[in-house]
Amino acid sequence: MPKSPSGGTAPSPNHKPRLWTRDFSLITLASALGAAGGIAGEFALSFFVFDETGSTLASALVLAIQLVPHVLVPLLVAPIMDRLPRKAFLVAGDLVCGVAYALLGLYLLRFPFSYVGYLAVSLALSSMEAVDSLAWTSIYPEVIPDGAEQKGYAVSSMLYTTLSVIMAPFAAVLLDTIGVPRLLMAQGGLAMLASLIESRVRVVERPRESREYSLAAWASDVREAFSYLAGERGLRGLLGYQAISNGLATGYYPILIAFFRTAPGFSATMYAFFSGAEFVGRTIASALQYKVKVPPKKRFGLTVFVYTVFDVMDAILLWLPYPLMLANRCACGFLGGNSYILRVAATQRYIPERMRSRVNAFQDGLVTASCSAFSLLVGSLGEVLDYRLCVTLCGLVSLSCVWLFVLRSRASISQVFEAYE
């Protein structure tokens, strides 16, 4: 029987793998609990900080602080994670985060809010969450049976988008009824429960290298990962496009907020429906990907089509009447959901299991750094250019990257997309 690129045994063409195994069900349940608490907590804290400070700059600084660990921490931890059982990082990450959020809630019940203290706490929490996220990303492919990758990531995508639609309004109600401290304590409880469930997962991780570690070994592991990426044109092409397109999307997010706040006939409520339309599209895409399997040979062509249409839709977005804006975002959510599932399922199966944490850490760090840089760049453009023109320029730059990074590496990227049946 043939081997899959990640080292597992590939299924025969007539074999239909069962996705909902014991381990996959447990990690999905744990993910749901952690995501529900995280979405509600993030929503509550974003309002809480503004209410306490009355400053948008203070709120923005918290977001900026929270991004820093997601660039640096995974790069430091990933080489160690590739040498040790990743399940321990996953379980400990949720447990520590849960305890920290519960203690933060208890603190806010008894003591006044301190902005400087909260910045320090945000930095620590974001560091722990960066480790936990990297562990989840690296171990998740191991609980998906070979041949069920597309379905597995469809479930993950659908789970988060559905919870986002449900938990945001629910968190708004809880914010006014039980308050931020108790909501944070509930988030901590959900994270600790997720940790307990993850501890029951019986994933069999492949034997690791020697656990004796040193700074020289860490540096060697980092060089090995960079060397691997240097020889993988397909992964580099996908990463380059994702870094710039995600960075531009993050950059024009404040532009959209400003447009809906200032343009005649628009409002914050209209923006809420606007965002919801995209979540609806992503949920539909996840459901479709769960039911319909895209043949390996058609994945590259479908991805290029999605990237092209998505970027064109971005370019024309703010020039449309509001009903067509809603249709535009729903369509983009649908397209983006499809391309995300195909890309992640393929890349996580393609990357060798023994260095998955390191490669994922580099990818996540580069995308996060790009998002930070483009936030400043596009935000600066918004000070001197029409908001609609800013978003159009973002869409056109991203469209040019389809050719620059994706079409020029067609053969190599196609190989990545064909990594699983």
Side-chain angles (χ1 to χ4, degrees):
M1 189 172 284
K3 295 286 185 181
S4 69
S6 64
T9 302
S12 64
N14 297 324
H15 174 67
K16 292 184 178 180
R18 183 169 68 94
L19 174 64
W20 290 97
T21 60
R22 175 186 179 277
D23 287 342
F24 183 81
S25 300
L26 287 174
I27 205 165
T28 299
L29 176 59
S31 299
L33 293 171
I39 293 166
E42 182 180 355
F43 179 91
L45 283 172
S46 63
F47 279 89
F48 182 67
V49 173
F50 181 77
D51 290 342
E52 292 291 331
T53 63
S55 168
T56 55
L57 178 60
S59 299
L61 183 57
V62 171
L63 292 176
I65 287 287
Q66 290 173 340
L67 281 176
V68 173
H70 286 272
V71 177
L72 301 177
V73 172
L75 294 175
L76 295 173
V77 174
I80 304 172
M81 194 178 290
D82 273 339
R83 286 178 176 257
L84 299 174
R86 300 187 183 107
K87 177 182 170 181
F89 287 90
L90 183 65
V91 173
D94 273 327
L95 178 61
V96 173
C97 285
V99 171
Y101 275 109
L103 291 176
L104 178 59
L106 285 171
Y107 175 88
L108 292 175
L109 275 177
R110 294 177 172 271
F111 302 99
F113 175 78
S114 166
Y115 180 71
V116 175
Y118 181 66
L119 286 179
V121 170
S122 291
L123 190 62
L125 283 171
S126 186
S127 298
M128 291 184 286
E129 288 168 351
V131 174
D132 182 61
S133 177
L134 179 63
W136 185 91
T137 302
S138 300
I139 205 171
Y140 191 67
E142 298 304 302
V143 301
I144 302 176
D146 282 351
E149 291 85 355
Q150 185 178 312
K151 276 191 173 185
Y153 282 99
V155 170
S156 173
S157 177
M158 189 187 308
L159 185 69
Y160 188 80
T161 53
T162 302
L163 285 172
S164 296
V165 173
I166 295 172
M167 291 307 300
F170 186 51
V173 174
L174 293 177
L175 185 63
D176 294 330
T177 54
I178 67 173
V180 171
R182 290 182 177 84
L183 202 157
L184 290 177
M185 292 167 64
Q187 178 184 356
L190 289 175
M192 287 185 275
L193 181 57
S195 175
L196 177 62
I197 294 171
E198 288 161 353
S199 70
R200 307 296 297 171
V201 174
R202 295 192 298 236
V203 61
V204 178
E205 299 191 66
R206 292 171 177 80
R208 299 284 185 246
E209 300 173 30
S210 170
R211 296 189 181 185
E212 296 180 4
Y213 213 56
S214 64
L215 183 59
W218 178 88
S220 175
D221 286 348
V222 171
R223 286 195 299 270
E224 182 185 24
F226 275 102
S227 177
Y228 170 75
L229 277 173
E232 290 290 342
R233 185 178 181 183
L235 289 177
R236 292 200 317 274
L238 287 171
L239 176 57
Y241 176 80
Q242 288 304 314
I244 294 180
S245 63
N246 287 356
L248 289 167
T250 301
Y252 72 62
Y253 171 74
I255 301 294
L256 295 179
I257 298 291
F259 177 83
F260 275 85
R261 271 295 192 192
T262 60
F266 289 86
S267 67
T269 301
M270 294 172 74
Y271 179 77
F273 283 107
F274 174 85
S275 300
E278 186 167 352
F279 278 120
V280 169
R282 286 187 175 273
T283 302
I284 295 171
S286 300
L288 179 66
Q289 288 280 322
Y290 185 83
K291 286 291 186 181
V292 180
K293 189 168 186 177
V294 180
K297 296 294 184 182
K298 295 185 177 181
R299 290 172 191 155
F300 176 83
L302 178 60
T303 299
V304 171
F305 171 79
V306 166
Y307 289 169
T308 302
V309 175
F310 193 105
D311 292 336
V312 171
M313 296 283 265
D314 267 2
I316 66 174
L317 175 61
L318 296 186
W319 304 95
L320 299 173
Y322 184 67
L324 290 182
M325 283 186 181
L326 294 178
N328 180 304
R329 285 301 91 182
C330 186
C332 284
F334 177 78
L335 293 170
N338 276 286
S339 66
Y340 167 81
I341 292 166
L342 290 177
R343 176 179 57 82
V344 175
T347 55
Q348 293 306 305
R349 185 60 73 189
Y350 183 84
I351 298 169
E353 189 272 343
R354 67 182 182 82
M355 64 172 66
R356 188 179 291 141
S357 297
R358 283 168 285 169
V359 176
N360 283 335
F362 178 76
Q363 292 176 337
D364 293 345
L366 182 60
V367 171
T368 304
S370 174
C371 289
S372 301
F374 277 109
S375 292
L376 296 174
L377 176 61
V378 180
S380 299
L381 286 177
E383 296 293 320
V384 296
L385 295 179
D386 181 271
Y387 295 145
R388 294 174 298 177
L389 186 57
C390 286
V391 176
T392 296
L393 287 175
C394 288
L396 293 178
V397 171
S398 186
L399 181 62
S400 69
C401 290
V402 176
W403 174 81
L404 183 64
F405 291 105
V406 181
L407 288 175
R408 291 180 64 197
S409 303
R410 179 187 184 98
S412 300
I413 293 177
S414 294
Q415 183 179 359
V416 174
F417 276 117
E418 295 168 16
Y420 67 95
E421 289 300 323

